[in-house]
Amino acid sequence: MQNSKVITHDVIVVGAGLAGTWAAMTAAENGVKDVAVLSKIHPLRSHSGAAQGGIAAVLNNVRPVAGTGPRGPLEQIPPGDDPVDSFDLHMFDTIKGSDWLGDQDAIEIMVKDAPDIVIQYEHMGCVFSRTPDGRIGQRRFGGHSAPRANFSADRTGHVLLHTIHEQALLHNVKFYSEWYVMDLIIEDNIARGVVAINVLTGDIHVLRAKAVMFGTGGYGQAFKVTSNAYANTGDGVALAYRAGAPLMDMEFVQFHPTGLYRHGFLMTEACRGEGGYLINKDGERFMAKYAPDKMELAPRDLVSRSEQTEINEGRGVMEDGQGIFLDMRHLGREKILERLPEVRDLAIAFAHVDPIDDPVPIQPTAHYSMGGVPTTVDGEVLANANGDLITGFYAAGEVSCVSVHGANRLGTNSLLEASVFGRRAGRAIAEFIKGGAKLYPISGDPAKKNTDYVTELFNNDGEELVEDIVQDLKATMTNKVGIFRNDEDLKSALNDIHQLQQRFKNIRIMDKSSRFNTNLSMTLEARNLLTFSEVIVAGALNRTESRGAHSRTDHPKRDDENWLKHTMAHKDEDGRPKLSYKDVTLYWDRFPPQERKY
Amino acid sequence: MSNKDLQRTVTVSIQRFNPDVDKKPHMQDYQVKMWPGMTILDALHEIKTHQDGSVTYRRSCRHGICGSCAMHINGRNTLACKTPIISELDQNDRVTIGPLPYLPVIKDMVVDRTSFWEQYLRVKPWLIPPENIPEREFRMSQEEVKALHDAEACIMCGACYSSCAVIGMNKKYMGPHALLKAFLRVLDPRDTAPSERLEIVSQADGVARCHTIFNCIDACPKGLNPTQAIETLRKLAQKRQKYEEAKKERQKHLNEPIPS
Amino acid sequence: MYKSTGFISWLLRRISGVALVLYLFTHLWVIGAANSGVEVFNNRLDAVQTPLFKFLEIALLAAVVYHGLDGIRLLLIHYFDLTEYRKSMFWAVFILAAILTLIGGAGILIIMANGG
């Protein structure tokens, strides 16, 4: 902490997953020489790499075999034959999946950019699974009316991440690996830089830039059972919020139906896409009750709610009745080995069952954060519900809320979102820089402010261990702000969080060394968890309807008249979330709101 | 084994070293109460968050895809997140954990991977595509994809690299990870620089340095086979000319459907 | 060092290789004496017929046999994908080399004991 420097770059990107790396590479490709990416873990460890199932795009490579029904086999489309998929269909599926909260202009852009970006990945060297005639393989996915999940076995995210990282290296993007960003500097609505800890040495530096971009990912670690990595602590949303940027639609947290029981690890939706069944204690495919048409391939919020209902009504499996079985035995050995090898490996390693021979125990798991920092379709961060921008601040990927997923995200649309809007943000940043963006001065001494804060944390020899506070937060969020919410639970949750924030003042950090202090970074992450969790609860409490992933037992219906709008949350002077609302962009003539049934 | 047995207290012996304060590495023991299904990573998390915050290690995804938590457990390299603690206990209910060998230790289980990443860059991991880029995707056959499956599944965790006795003696050796990556690109039908790549891996510190000790295969948490990739590169390097011609021939048809 | 069968195999390969090179120099030193006349030649030959050198001969046999068999193993590995059998191949070389050394060594010792 002794050697604080001021480092300057044209562009600073925080987060080296798909969104951040696309933005950095695209900016570099478009003439910005000085792009730096900061990541608190090595770029290749980013959680984008954990995505499994596929990336959605209307490529029309594959169609269902005629006459075999919605779960039948797929075949490649012979050249010249009619396509089965269209932009309109992809749009409609996404809009319906979002329960009509998605901004349709943004969805249109994403859907239309999709084929190009998937092809670009392939041209950059991504190894996709293929159809017999050599085209990119596609499979079915929940909520999609046509097979448009372009996949690479069940490690699509992994291959995309490695490919884009290699390309960024080729374009001489500079990576600051294991630098933890702890503060964002916004003054007079202009983003000026960040403050980061070089984890290796413990030194805290100020990094100035003409443009700052956040690709920091989601915040599943606020929950007990989550598919998210330890790293997904919502640092980006917390930093942006504390720096004065709004957060949008935070109450919409997606619970993925098939997380491995107890651990929460993702068992890709493709398990169901390839034909897997969900079975309750009585051996029945209970989805017939909740989504007779799409069955297991209904959108995630619906399936999770169905599972949770089965569990709550006593038809769950495993000793505590909190599980559901995912049965893939009928898929056959060959298909599982070829298309779902990673998932099989997980089941064997962590649940001690082989999906070839036995059903796999799963449960709903906190998976994706629909909410985040609101942006335009070019990744520019909004300052308020009126659409004013924060100059020089960009965001894309899970940390952002454009919004393309609205109240619930369809699978394979996240890899797509991160790639499309990461690229668009990169272009927008390049335009901004080439158009004469300035390097604004930073007032005060943010290095000292943050160093003092860290010193204060070190010297604060309180009685609480950070982990205990985090575990209590996770319990609150999972039990009271989970799949089914109600007024009483949410109010209680808000209370819990305020108490936890108080308790946080009494913590003790055990490791006070400066070298590679992950005790410190975990503490700062905990602070972030407490910050944005409050915003989630506030939004959920105020939204007296059920829409998409936000399900209230005391307000079970969707209420378009009062609630067809985005929640915006700003931090007020007392540090509490102040809510306002923003309209949803709808094409009333093309995709008017409908009842959402599957 | 009854449930009670699975929840007993065990000893986790960790190699500690902070160069700022320690003269040399030393072992430190911690007691941990197991729960059913607990992994080494879970045990470390328990120790770090409740007993000794200074125990330092890298981790992220918890399920074997990010590659952060490769470390040395009971004498072999593997991912901490995928190793159940119960299978690692010796007769004294003890498991021994240390950093990956052969790399400089930054702190406890965190090692300096500079040489690892340098070798990765050295083989030019990005695709070098042909000049005529079609509007749609290049065509690759299912067999061609299958041949690349091992190489593209690599998560760059470093377990192989730091288990290799050659690396132990010669930090300039490219290493199984880089050679596996080179193999990916050499075999990729879309790559147009096979000669250049084979040239790179045929350098003094390339494929020739592999002595088929096979530690890499034993260490790889993904069950990959870098040695076979290296052998294939060796063979191809010997017939560089022929391979390049075969590739050029294949690339004439890269935009055509694969015949059935 | 990261301990493994593969590492031992490699180590023995190196040691046997070095030993063979040393043997070569020794051998040339002995045979080369042919240029220096009968007496020098006989002296050197006697020097390497002592019991010590008989034991070294057994060691030489071990080196030749191990290095040769391991060489065959390497050739097979090079041309075929025998990853699945890697451990058994290491052990096959160890054991075969040991057996051949024992048999040959026994032979050398017996001949030595019988004054030949």
Side-chain angles (χ1 to χ4, degrees):
Chain A
M1 268 148 286
Q2 294 76 9
N3 313 309
S4 185
K5 293 200 300 269
V6 177
I7 301 169
T8 309
H9 286 286
D10 276 349
V11 181
I12 284 177
V13 175
V14 183
L18 292 186
T21 312
W22 265 107
M25 186 199 81
T26 309
E29 218 175 36
N30 283 298
V32 181
K33 288 276 174 281
D34 186 12
V35 183
V37 179
L38 277 71
S39 176
K40 67 180 178 179
I41 48 182
H42 186 276
L44 290 178
R45 315 294 179 216
S46 302
H47 205 53
S48 300
Q52 299 172 348
I55 177 171
V58 175
L59 284 184
N60 273 311
N61 285 346
V62 150
R63 69 182 176 200
V65 173
T68 58
R71 309 305 294 274
L74 300 170
E75 62 177 7
Q76 63 194 21
I77 300 181
D81 270 24
D82 287 335
V84 296
D85 203 2
S86 68
F87 288 142
D88 266 4
L89 197 54
H90 191 179
M91 270 185 79
F92 177 70
D93 287 340
T94 304
I95 291 166
K96 183 175 174 192
S98 78
D99 219 347
W100 271 273
L101 198 67
D103 291 307
Q104 297 181 3
D105 56 338
I107 292 175
E108 181 162 34
I109 287 177
M110 183 177 84
V111 154
K112 288 189 171 161
D113 266 2
D116 179 65
I117 212 156
V118 173
I119 306 263
Q120 193 177 346
Y121 268 122
E122 197 273 335
H123 288 166
M124 294 192 301
C126 246
V127 180
F128 283 101
S129 297
R130 302 277 172 161
T131 59
D133 71 349
R135 284 176 286 170
I136 295 176
Q138 300 186 292
R139 59 178 160 215
R140 290 193 177 89
F141 232 73
H144 291 276
S145 310
R148 61 175 81 101
N150 301 285
F151 67 101
S152 173
D154 56 354
R155 41 177 173 251
T156 313
H158 164 82
V159 302
L160 297 185
L161 179 64
H162 277 248
T163 303
I164 193 67
H165 181 71
E166 288 157 11
Q167 293 295 312
L169 290 172
L170 185 57
H171 283 84
N172 293 317
V173 168
K174 187 173 158 76
F175 284 96
Y176 286 79
S177 178
E178 293 177 321
W179 280 56
Y180 180 80
V181 173
M182 65 180 290
D183 205 359
L184 169 66
I185 304 167
I186 298 180
E187 289 173 35
D188 296 329
N189 235 28
I190 301 172
R192 298 169 191 242
V194 298
V195 179
I197 305 174
N198 177 352
V199 179
L200 178 61
T201 59
D203 294 328
I204 294 180
H205 303 291
V206 174
L207 291 103
R208 293 176 66 195
K210 298 173 183 167
V212 175
M213 189 258 175
F214 271 12
T216 53
Y219 44 84
Q221 280 291 320
F223 296 84
K224 205 158 72 155
V225 181
T226 174
S227 66
N228 285 195
Y230 276 123
N232 297 28
T233 50
D235 293 339
V237 290
L239 256 54
Y241 176 73
R242 282 204 294 266
L247 296 180
M248 190 161 93
D249 291 344
M250 290 291 285
E251 61 266 32
F252 297 102
V253 177
Q254 181 175 80
F255 292 86
H256 191 291
T258 52
L260 196 61
Y261 171 75
R262 269 298 282 313
H263 298 274
F265 307 143
L266 184 65
M267 305 290 277
T268 175
E269 194 162 2
C271 294
R272 287 169 285 141
E274 298 288 349
Y277 301 147
L278 291 172
I279 312 278
N280 65 12
K281 191 173 79 172
D282 305 322
E284 56 164 333
R285 276 177 79 187
F286 56 86
M287 285 310 296
K289 290 186 282 191
Y290 306 94
D293 185 34
K294 285 274 197 311
M295 293 288 282
E296 282 86 357
L297 286 180
R300 293 168 175 184
D301 57 329
L302 214 158
V303 181
S304 288
R305 274 196 294 275
S306 313
E307 288 177 351
Q308 195 61 46
T309 306
E310 293 290 302
I311 290 169
N312 291 348
E313 288 175 7
R315 289 186 292 278
V317 299
M318 307 307 283
E319 310 92 55
D320 59 359
Q322 296 295 307
I324 294 282
F325 276 139
L326 171 63
D327 194 351
M328 292 180 274
R329 291 174 291 180
H330 54 284
L331 264 54
R333 184 189 179 81
E334 214 182 283
K335 198 182 219 179
I336 294 179
L337 287 177
E338 189 203 318
R339 304 253 175 126
L340 301 168
E342 299 279 340
V343 148
R344 171 168 181 263
D345 199 33
L346 284 171
I348 293 173
F350 292 101
H352 313 297
V353 295
D354 188 339
I356 295 176
D357 304 315
D358 290 301
V360 182
I362 49 93
Q363 66 180 137
T365 180
H367 181 62
Y368 183 82
S369 324
M370 270 72 75
V373 181
T375 68
T376 63
V377 296
D378 290 313
E380 301 152 310
V381 176
L382 304 179
N384 52 41
N386 298 333
D388 299 320
L389 301 178
I390 298 179
T391 311
F393 188 28
Y394 298 80
E398 194 170 349
V399 71
S400 73
C401 186
V402 189
S403 156
V404 287
H405 308 305
N408 170 68
R409 171 175 79 77
L410 293 186
T412 66
N413 268 354
S414 177
L415 289 177
L416 180 60
E417 172 198 20
S419 312
V420 166
F421 292 104
R423 188 170 70 170
R424 293 181 73 90
R427 288 192 195 128
I429 290 171
E431 290 292 305
F432 178 67
I433 302 285
K434 290 193 295 199
K438 296 209 322 255
L439 192 68
Y440 284 89
I442 297 178
S443 69
D445 191 350
K448 182 169 189 305
K449 180 176 127 207
N450 281 284
T451 308
D452 286 347
Y453 180 67
V454 169
T455 311
E456 199 185 300
L457 283 176
F458 280 154
N459 293 338
N460 197 53
D461 269 317
E463 283 120 42
E464 289 256 30
L465 288 178
V466 175
E467 179 72 1
D468 293 330
I469 296 177
V470 169
Q471 288 302 327
D472 286 349
L473 174 69
K474 285 174 181 254
T476 294
M477 294 302 285
T478 305
N479 299 332
K480 302 178 185 171
V481 197
I483 294 177
F484 290 118
R485 303 159 171 182
N486 62 61
D487 187 78
E488 191 187 325
D489 280 348
L490 291 171
K491 287 204 169 94
S492 167
L494 206 51
N495 208 28
D496 287 349
I497 293 175
H498 292 161
Q499 281 186 6
L500 290 167
Q501 286 170 340
Q502 284 307 320
R503 281 172 60 190
F504 189 80
K505 298 189 178 143
N506 194 22
I507 53 149
R508 170 172 63 92
I509 298 188
M510 292 185 269
D511 184 7
K512 305 197 209 286
S513 63
S514 47
R515 173 186 281 252
F516 218 98
N517 192 334
T518 46
N519 204 187
L520 172 65
S521 45
M522 283 166 77
T523 305
L524 295 172
E525 286 169 343
R527 175 184 175 216
N528 291 338
L529 292 175
L530 290 170
T531 302
F532 68 73
S533 294
E534 185 174 5
V535 182
I536 296 177
V537 180
L541 187 56
N542 232 40
R543 185 174 283 270
T544 49
E545 66 152 1
S546 287
R547 183 184 297 266
H550 171 69
S551 182
R552 298 234 353 205
T553 50
D554 50 356
H555 297 277
K557 290 228 167 356
R558 191 176 98 194
D559 180 2
D560 282 349
E561 206 184 300
N562 292 309
W563 286 105
L564 189 52
K565 54 194 181 187
H566 296 295
T567 308
M568 295 276 267
H570 282 91
K571 185 169 77 105
D572 70 14
E573 314 82 52
D574 301 317
R576 299 280 166 243
K578 189 172 74 181
L579 303 179
S580 56
Y581 292 91
K582 178 173 173 286
D583 285 328
V584 179
T585 309
L586 285 147
Y587 294 144
W588 291 97
D589 50 337
R590 289 165 68 193
F591 302 106
Q594 291 174 16
E595 193 187 344
R596 186 170 173 252
K597 268 215 298 270
Y598 289 93
Chain B
M1 239 186 219
S2 72
N3 244 356
K4 252 184 137 195
D5 258 345
L6 293 172
Q7 288 174 35
R8 62 189 190 273
T9 302
V10 299
T11 307
V12 180
S13 201
I14 302 177
Q15 183 181 298
R16 309 296 314 279
F17 184 51
N18 178 348
D20 290 343
V21 295
D22 298 320
K23 284 212 188 68
K24 55 186 175 99
H26 58 278
M27 301 302 289
Q28 195 164 345
D29 285 357
Y30 298 90
Q31 307 302 313
V32 174
K33 184 153 186 288
M34 290 197 299
W35 36 264
M38 183 188 233
T39 61
I40 298 282
L41 187 61
D42 293 328
L44 284 170
H45 186 80
E46 170 60 36
I47 294 168
K48 184 179 179 72
T49 54
H50 284 108
Q51 299 181 35
D52 183 349
S54 66
V55 171
T56 309
Y57 50 94
R58 291 187 170 116
R59 86 293 184 260
S60 194
C61 76
R62 306 168 296 145
H63 62 277
I65 194 74
C66 75
S68 305
C69 67
M71 40 184 103
H72 199 66
I73 299 172
N74 281 348
R76 65 179 217 294
N77 289 354
T78 188
L79 295 178
C81 67
K82 278 180 98 178
T83 309
I85 190 170
I86 195 154
S87 64
E88 294 299 319
L89 299 170
D90 66 9
Q91 63 263 44
N92 296 322
D93 262 357
R94 165 191 294 267
V95 57
T96 308
I97 304 175
L100 292 177
Y102 308 143
L103 294 170
V105 176
I106 292 174
K107 186 170 169 183
D108 297 344
M109 268 71 70
V110 177
V111 293
D112 183 345
R113 290 163 175 265
T114 310
S115 61
F116 179 79
W117 295 118
E118 264 167 18
Q119 300 303 339
Y120 164 79
L121 283 173
R122 205 171 150 196
V123 299
K124 303 200 183 168
W126 44 81
L127 182 79
I128 299 172
E131 263 162 25
N132 63 324
I133 310 257
E135 239 181 73
R136 292 275 314 211
E137 65 265 49
F138 292 115
R139 301 293 184 111
M140 262 175 85
S141 74
Q142 292 174 330
E143 287 73 37
E144 283 167 332
V145 169
K146 199 151 182 214
L148 296 177
H149 251 172
D150 248 25
E152 60 136 18
C154 171
I155 58 178
M156 292 285 159
C157 70
C160 62
Y161 184 77
S162 71
S163 73
C164 181
V166 179
I167 294 287
M169 295 177 284
N170 175 11
K171 280 294 177 303
K172 299 213 214 87
Y173 171 45
M174 274 177 195
H177 70 304
L179 292 170
L180 188 60
K181 196 69 173 183
F183 168 83
L184 174 71
R185 293 299 173 215
V186 166
L187 248 71
D188 192 322
R190 304 164 295 186
D191 188 78
T192 47
S195 262
E196 186 188 341
R197 296 188 187 276
L198 289 170
E199 191 72 50
I200 293 174
V201 303
S202 301
Q203 283 169 39
D205 297 309
V207 289
R209 286 267 168 272
C210 169
H211 294 306
T212 64
I213 294 174
F214 286 118
N215 285 354
C216 53
I217 299 177
D218 293 335
C220 179
K222 294 300 225 184
L224 307 180
N225 192 341
T227 317
Q228 200 53 39
I230 295 171
E231 285 297 327
T232 310
L233 284 175
R234 265 201 259 249
K235 293 205 262 281
L236 292 176
Q238 281 166 356
K239 308 183 236 159
R240 217 167 302 181
Q241 226 20 4
K242 239 173 123 194
Y243 186 67
E244 173 124 37
E245 276 157 25
K247 254 234 166 135
K248 284 213 171 87
E249 189 53 43
R250 169 74 183 92
Q251 278 163 1
K252 288 198 188 126
H253 309 283
L254 254 185
N255 302 334
E256 292 159 24
I258 307 289
S260 38
Chain C
M1 278 276 153
Y2 199 91
K3 296 193 181 69
S4 65
T5 334
F7 178 65
I8 308 278
S9 158
W10 172 83
L11 197 62
L12 291 174
R13 203 182 319 150
R14 272 287 179 273
I15 293 174
S16 58
V18 166
L20 287 172
V21 169
L22 287 176
Y23 163 71
L24 185 64
F25 285 128
T26 316
H27 186 66
L28 288 175
W29 176 75
V30 170
I31 301 298
N35 290 331
S36 311
V38 172
E39 223 180 284
V40 179
F41 184 83
N42 282 337
N43 282 341
R44 288 204 186 158
L45 207 54
D46 283 338
V48 294
Q49 304 272 25
T50 59
L52 167 65
F53 272 88
K54 280 294 170 203
F55 283 107
L56 284 180
E57 233 173 67
I58 300 173
L60 171 64
L61 173 65
V64 166
V65 139
Y66 178 82
H67 205 84
L69 284 171
D70 199 56
I72 295 175
R73 185 193 66 81
L74 271 171
L75 273 174
L76 290 172
I77 297 276
H78 187 68
Y79 284 106
F80 305 103
D81 182 3
L82 296 168
T83 315
E84 211 183 310
Y85 307 107
R86 62 192 184 279
K87 288 271 155 59
S88 18
M89 286 173 80
F90 284 137
W91 282 103
V93 169
F94 292 151
I95 294 173
L96 264 172
I99 293 175
L100 289 174
T101 306
L102 275 169
I103 298 176
I108 292 176
L109 289 174
I110 290 172
I111 296 174
M112 176 178 93
N114 288 338

